[in-house]
Amino acid sequence: MEAPYYALFWRMGAGACGIVAIIAAAVTAVAELNISADARDWRAGGARTDKNGVNRTQAYSREWIRAQRVREGLAAGRMPQAIAPHDPAPQPGEAFFVDTRAVCSRYTAAVDSSATGTPAFVSAGLIVTGTYRRQRTWLEAQYVRFWRRPASVRVVASDRRIAVHAGKKWLSFPYAAMTAIHPEVGEATLVCEFAATPPLLLRGAAIPTVALLTVHQTTGADAVRTHPALGVLDE
């Protein structure tokens, strides 16, 4: 085959790959936008219902009030009331506090953003939310595709870890293994970084409480009071 044909087929293949990447990014963005919209709507006094007529906004409202109370308790040195989920099996002395459904996504590339002053995966992961919509850059558009498609999962949080049930198995994310956390509670979102595994993104009605536990167990009660991303809980 002559060289011009090689170039033609190469361009066609590259174009097809680009289209697939755009579609995947769009599917991810729509799924995440629905969750962010739930969080914004209840704060604005609106309401959203699912296909069964269940008012999802009410769940966000209840969980927001709960997060405010949990924050007050953690700041004063009091852990929330423990629960007893049927799984996963607790470690010796471990106490669980949250058992909820959420959307989970993992990041597949390790890159930082000098343009935004924040890890590129955080900017890309939150590109559809109110906080970061004003900060869209070419860099964010490039890296949004590295987030895997969001999946609905069960999430439990204890005094030692966040556990995610995905693919018929439990994945454990110990607080001690986290190198950085990004608790965007106003968007019902938490992003956690790790030294040896891909970043984790969680979104859902109860994720503000999971974020509070994560902040408390990684950086202490003072951070619960002073972390700038948690200030929206005062509203």
Side-chain angles (χ1 to χ4, degrees), residues 13-235:
C17 290
I19 293 172
V20 170
I22 292 171
I23 293 173
V27 171
T28 299
V30 169
E32 294 181 346
L33 180 59
N34 286 336
I35 297 172
S36 296
D38 285 341
R40 290 195 303 273
D41 282 355
W42 78 255
R43 294 180 68 192
R48 290 171 66 85
T49 58
D50 62 20
K51 61 183 180 181
N52 297 316
V54 177
N55 190 330
R56 296 200 306 265
T57 308
Q58 292 180 354
Y60 279 83
S61 180
R62 289 193 300 269
E63 290 294 343
W64 189 259
I65 294 172
R66 179 191 181 194
Q68 291 175 319
R69 293 172 178 170
V70 167
R71 186 188 183 206
E72 292 176 0
L74 291 174
R78 301 188 306 272
M79 296 297 287
Q81 182 176 354
I83 61 175
H86 58 84
D87 60 349
Q91 301 170 355
E94 182 179 25
F96 289 99
F97 304 104
V98 177
D99 185 350
T100 188
R101 299 292 302 182
V103 167
C104 170
S105 187
R106 302 299 302 279
Y107 194 72
T108 59
V111 290
D112 290 334
S113 164
S114 58
T116 62
T118 188
F121 64 80
V122 176
S123 297
L126 302 180
I127 194 170
V128 298
T129 68
T131 302
Y132 287 92
R133 186 177 288 114
R134 296 184 301 273
Q135 300 178 15
R136 282 182 176 175
T137 65
W138 174 89
L139 184 65
E140 292 169 347
Q142 293 299 305
Y143 291 116
V144 69
R145 69 183 184 275
F146 290 115
W147 283 103
R148 294 176 185 170
R149 182 175 297 182
S152 177
V153 298
R154 184 168 158 230
V155 176
V156 298
S158 75
D159 54 355
R160 300 184 185 180
R161 57 178 168 150
I162 297 172
V164 174
H165 190 259
K168 299 182 180 181
K169 64 179 180 180
W170 283 99
L171 302 177
S172 186
F173 301 94
Y175 301 126
M178 297 178 182
T179 57
I181 55 174
H182 308 274
E184 295 294 334
V185 298
E187 299 294 340
T189 299
L190 172 66
V191 177
C192 302
E193 295 182 59
F194 306 89
T197 58
L200 170 72
L201 184 149
L202 297 172
R203 280 198 176 106
I207 295 306
T209 296
V210 176
L212 286 166
L213 288 167
T214 304
V215 170
H216 184 269
Q217 297 304 104
T218 55
T219 52
D222 285 343
V224 172
R225 290 188 292 267
T226 62
H227 196 295
L230 303 181
V232 293
L233 287 167
D234 294 330
E235 300 177 3

